[in-house]
Amino acid sequence: MAYSTISGEIRYTSKKPERLDQERGREFFSITRQPDGVDLLHAHCEIDDAPMVVRDVVLALRHADSSPVDCSVRLTVGDRFEGSGWMRFSDSLIECETFNQGDGRISQRIEVGAPVRWLQSHPIVGDALLMRLYDLQRGPGKTFFDNLYLTSPDHRGATGPQLFRTGFSIVYLGEEDIEVAAGEFRARHFQVTDTAGNLPEEHPPYDVWCTADDDYILLRAGAGGYMQTHYELVDLKRP
């Protein structure tokens, strides 16, 4: 198998009445599938809301199940360097070496009883790749996952980076045809729920639509409640 790369752009908008459909950020991503079964995700993310956030992520994950191999993250918050870090995952150990403004140098070594299922490093495109964890053979339904990690417990991913354990449920609602700025697609519709007690602040239910194929490309996503955020694929390039 040769290398192949998918790239695209996601637009962030608000659904709050006073800012309805106003652009509040953007994300440029590429996913390179490698012959060794690893996908390499590059994501540059910009959030305009104060304090602004710029995040650059390079995440290696296994194509079969999206489990993490290694990751690097660099954060700018409010036009100022916030932190950068590197993480590595084995079947029994997670290692993290970072530096940030609040805590200085951080070294973490966490022994795990089983391989970590997912690392949420906060690019929106990753929210669709996460859905590989759900077993589609079960059909529509709900599964709770507890062997998951974040690079930041902040909903905007604006702290750290460092390792934070969490868990939540993925609900699969089925397939449907949708249209986004990048075109018309057959989509799988998922929802992330049950974050209470696993994050410092509960995340409202979060709906995610991704391509109904092996690529799991983010098409559309959104959260209600106090967040009222919307994400939409506006450009996509495939081999």
Side-chain angles (χ1 to χ4, degrees), residues 20-164:
L20 187 63
D21 296 330
Q22 290 183 13
E23 186 170 347
R24 51 176 291 273
R26 61 217 55 86
E27 178 174 310
F28 306 92
F29 69 86
S30 68
I31 303 169
T32 299
R33 189 173 182 184
Q34 302 183 156
D36 61 358
V38 170
D39 288 349
L40 192 61
L41 167 64
H42 290 74
H44 174 78
C45 316
E46 302 173 355
I47 302 174
D48 299 334
D49 300 340
M52 58 78 67
V53 178
V54 174
R55 182 188 317 104
D56 289 282
V57 173
V58 179
L59 170 64
L61 61 160
R62 295 174 183 87
H63 181 83
D65 59 6
S66 286
S67 58
V69 178
D70 56 66
C71 181
S72 63
V73 180
R74 191 182 196 279
L75 289 171
T76 298
V77 179
D79 294 320
R80 176 178 170 225
F81 169 75
E82 177 65 21
S84 64
W86 172 83
M87 297 141 200
R88 188 183 76 87
F89 298 79
S90 73
D91 290 349
S92 59
L93 180 70
I94 315 173
E95 298 176 274
C96 175
E97 294 291 336
T98 68
F99 177 89
N100 68 37
Q101 294 287 358
D103 301 302
R105 181 66 181 264
I106 302 169
S107 297
Q108 293 174 283
R109 289 174 58 87
I110 302 171
E111 294 184 0
V112 291
V116 171
R117 298 293 304 274
W118 172 250
L119 176 69
Q120 177 55 284
S121 50
H122 290 281
I124 298 301
V125 68
D127 296 342
L129 298 173
L130 161 68
M131 301 308 158
R132 282 202 183 110
L133 274 63
Y134 187 89
D135 182 2
L136 294 175
Q137 294 184 357
R138 292 169 49 92
K142 179 178 179 178
T143 304
F144 184 81
F145 299 90
D146 64 357
N147 192 15
L148 313 175
Y149 278 81
L150 308 172
T151 60
S152 167
D154 178 72
H155 291 171
R156 303 199 312 161
T159 62
Q162 62 187 100
L163 292 168
F164 180 91

Side-chain angles (χ1 to χ4, degrees), residues 1-19:
M1 176 190 129
Y3 289 83
S4 62
T5 298
I6 296 169
S7 61
E9 179 183 351
I10 297 167
R11 180 180 298 133
Y12 306 174
T13 58
S14 175
K15 290 299 180 182
K16 293 180 179 180
E18 68 274 16
R19 300 182 59 193

